[in-house]
């Protein structure tokens, strides 16, 4: 994945040139993973670029910080303004945004109270979450277990615990697959390394709950909302890996990935990839993020040109 560099990064209240947004090597977050993050997207719409579900992303960032006892120096409104300023300054028509806050250079050691908090927003023209080139993906169940909610709070989108996802993704791609499926300690399906997972059988749409260690994905919530409005029966409940093997359709979804059909799970091919419901939901998602569907305009924050 190559990243195109934008001109500025928002860092601790100011727009700074891309290469000047630096930290000290003894940054607490580098050593102990003490940080929280968000991945958010800006889509091109007929009215110019617009951020999708910005308030929801910023509120999750705030909740993540609260769970980790990191005091965010900026509130939702300030971060929303900073986001718009950054997207305009970088002249993006569409982009991927990374909001994050981490403990900086203060004191070495596990005590987190003496390190200052840094807050950053960076942007890229695009960021491909899955290198599948748009085709349905091949997924493999990971030998790595999803971190237990009593080891780290999975509901917090925190930097340190991403090691779990990084290990799982590396194992899957080394073995020739596109993505890893992680199970929780009980063997229930949790999620993929950076997407939530859905299974369709007999017209019923199912996805695992947060109690299985899955992030409360904003795209997952979007898909559930869209499906309910289509009149589809949805269930947020524990799934076994065999529920995925036996499904009619499986797809994964996340901010960077969008809605992506699964071709096979552990080499067991799904009957339909993409299946009918996956296609309908992917189309509706596209209509929502692009502003083409007026009923979802409330999810878009216009950036202005
Ligand atoms: N699970 C994990 C582990 C993720 O990293 C992501 C990406 N943020 C998701 C699920 C999907 O979440 P969202 O739809 O909010 O991007």
């Amino acid at each position: 994945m190559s990243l195109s560099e934008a001109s500025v990064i928002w860092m601790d209240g100011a727009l700074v040139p891309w290469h000047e947004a630096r930290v000290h090597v003894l940054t607490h977050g580098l050593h102990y993973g003490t940080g929280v993050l968000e991945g958010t997207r800006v889509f091109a719409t007929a009215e110019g670029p617009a951020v999708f579900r910005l308030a929801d992303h910023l509120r999750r960032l705030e909740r993540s910080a609260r769970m980790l006892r990191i005091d965010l120096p900026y509130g939702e409104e300030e971060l929303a303004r900073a986001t718009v300023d950054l997207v305009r300054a970088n002249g993006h028509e569409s982009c991927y945004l990374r909001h994050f806050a981490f403990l900086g250079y203060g004191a070495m050691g596990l005590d987190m109270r003496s390190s200052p908090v840094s807050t950053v927003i960076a942007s890229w023209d695009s960021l491909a979450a899955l290198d599948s080139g748009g085709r349905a993906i091949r997924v493999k169940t990971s030998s790595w277990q999803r971190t237990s909610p009593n080891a780290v709070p999975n509901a917090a989108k925190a930097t340190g615990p991403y090691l779990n996802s990084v290990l799982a993704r590396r194992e899957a791609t080394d073995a020739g697959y596109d993505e890893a499926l992680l199970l929780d300690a009980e063997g229930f399906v949790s999620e993929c390394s950076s997407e939530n997972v859905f299974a369709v059988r007999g017209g019923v749409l199912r996805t695992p709950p947060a109690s299985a260690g899955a992030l409360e994905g904003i795209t997952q919530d979007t898909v559930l909302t869209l499906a309910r409005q289509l009149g589809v029966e949805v269930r947020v409940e524990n799934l076994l890996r065999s529920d995925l093997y036996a499904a009619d359709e499986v797809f994964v979804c996340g901010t960077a990935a969008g809605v992506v059909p699964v071709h096979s799970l552990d080499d067991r091919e799904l009957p339909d990839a993409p299946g009918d419901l996956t296609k309908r939901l992917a189309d509706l998602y596209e209509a929502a993020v692009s502003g083409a569907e007026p009923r979802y305009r409330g999810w878009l924050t216009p950036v202005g040109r």
Side-chain angles (χ1 to χ4, degrees):
M1 182 200 308
S2 66
L3 294 177
S4 56
E5 294 176 1
S7 63
V8 288
I9 286 176
W10 185 92
M11 189 166 186
D12 298 323
L15 293 171
V16 298
W18 183 276
H19 288 282
E20 287 171 27
R22 297 202 183 97
V23 295
H24 194 276
V25 291
L26 299 181
T27 291
H28 197 276
L30 266 179
H31 296 258
Y32 304 116
T34 41
V36 292
L37 72 159
E38 275 302 317
T40 303
R41 266 171 85 181
V42 173
F43 293 88
T45 77
E47 282 80 46
V51 195
F52 188 63
R53 302 195 65 169
L54 177 61
D56 295 309
H57 282 283
L58 294 178
R59 283 174 201 154
R60 189 171 64 185
L61 186 74
E62 190 277 322
R63 288 198 303 274
S64 299
R66 187 158 19 115
M67 282 185 256
L68 265 66
R69 307 198 65 178
I70 292 175
D71 291 325
L72 277 190
Y74 300 93
E76 183 188 327
E77 270 181 36
E78 288 166 295
L79 291 176
R81 246 192 328 271
T83 304
V84 168
D85 289 348
L86 178 78
V87 175
R88 275 204 206 154
N90 282 332
H92 296 293
E93 273 304 308
S94 63
C95 66
Y96 179 82
L97 292 167
R98 169 58 47 83
H99 293 79
F100 61 112
F102 58 95
L103 296 189
Y105 172 51
M108 192 40 72
L110 290 186
D111 190 336
M112 65 189 292
R113 290 171 299 183
S114 314
S115 297
V117 181
S118 252
T119 316
V120 181
I121 315 171
S123 65
W124 296 267
D125 274 338
S126 66
L127 186 137
L130 292 164
D131 294 329
S132 67
R135 61 181 167 74
I137 56 169
R138 298 174 63 240
V139 177
K140 180 163 176 48
T141 303
S142 187
S143 72
W144 297 102
Q145 200 172 82
R146 181 43 105 212
T147 41
S148 141
N150 277 329
V152 283
N154 297 68
K157 200 167 156 59
T159 59
Y162 265 93
L163 197 47
N164 184 231
S165 285
V166 169
L167 287 169
R169 174 68 78 92
R170 177 71 197 253
E171 180 187 67
T173 52
D174 278 354
Y177 296 84
D178 300 301
E179 180 54 302
L181 176 78
L182 290 116
L183 308 179
D184 72 4
E186 316 294 328
F188 291 116
V189 173
S190 180
E191 59 182 341
C192 289
S193 74
S194 60
E195 298 86 26
N196 291 104
V197 63
F198 282 84
V200 182
R201 195 164 106 194
V204 178
L205 181 65
R206 297 196 293 164
T207 190
S211 55
L215 184 73
E216 289 180 33
I218 289 169
T219 320
Q220 180 190 43
D221 179 70
T222 301
V223 165
L224 288 170
T225 304
L226 299 176
R228 284 189 190 105
Q229 288 174 353
L230 285 176
V232 172
E233 181 179 341
V234 302
R235 292 192 208 143
V236 179
E237 64 184 17
N238 274 330
L239 298 178
L240 296 166
R241 64 200 276 190
S242 54
D243 289 321
L244 300 191
Y245 295 159
D248 302 325
E249 314 173 27
V250 174
F251 64 88
V252 302
C253 72
T255 296
V259 176
V260 180
V262 172
H263 166 269
S264 60
L265 189 79
D266 299 328
D267 302 316
R268 289 149 179 90
E269 286 185 24
L270 276 305
D272 289 318
D276 284 343
L277 185 55
T278 305
K279 259 190 280 184
R280 283 167 76 204
L281 288 168
D283 289 348
L284 203 48
Y285 175 75
E286 218 32 64
V289 299
S290 65
E293 181 58 70
R295 125 192 237 197
Y296 305 119
R297 292 261 170 86
W299 276 336
L300 292 165
T301 302
V303 166
R305 288 194 170 100

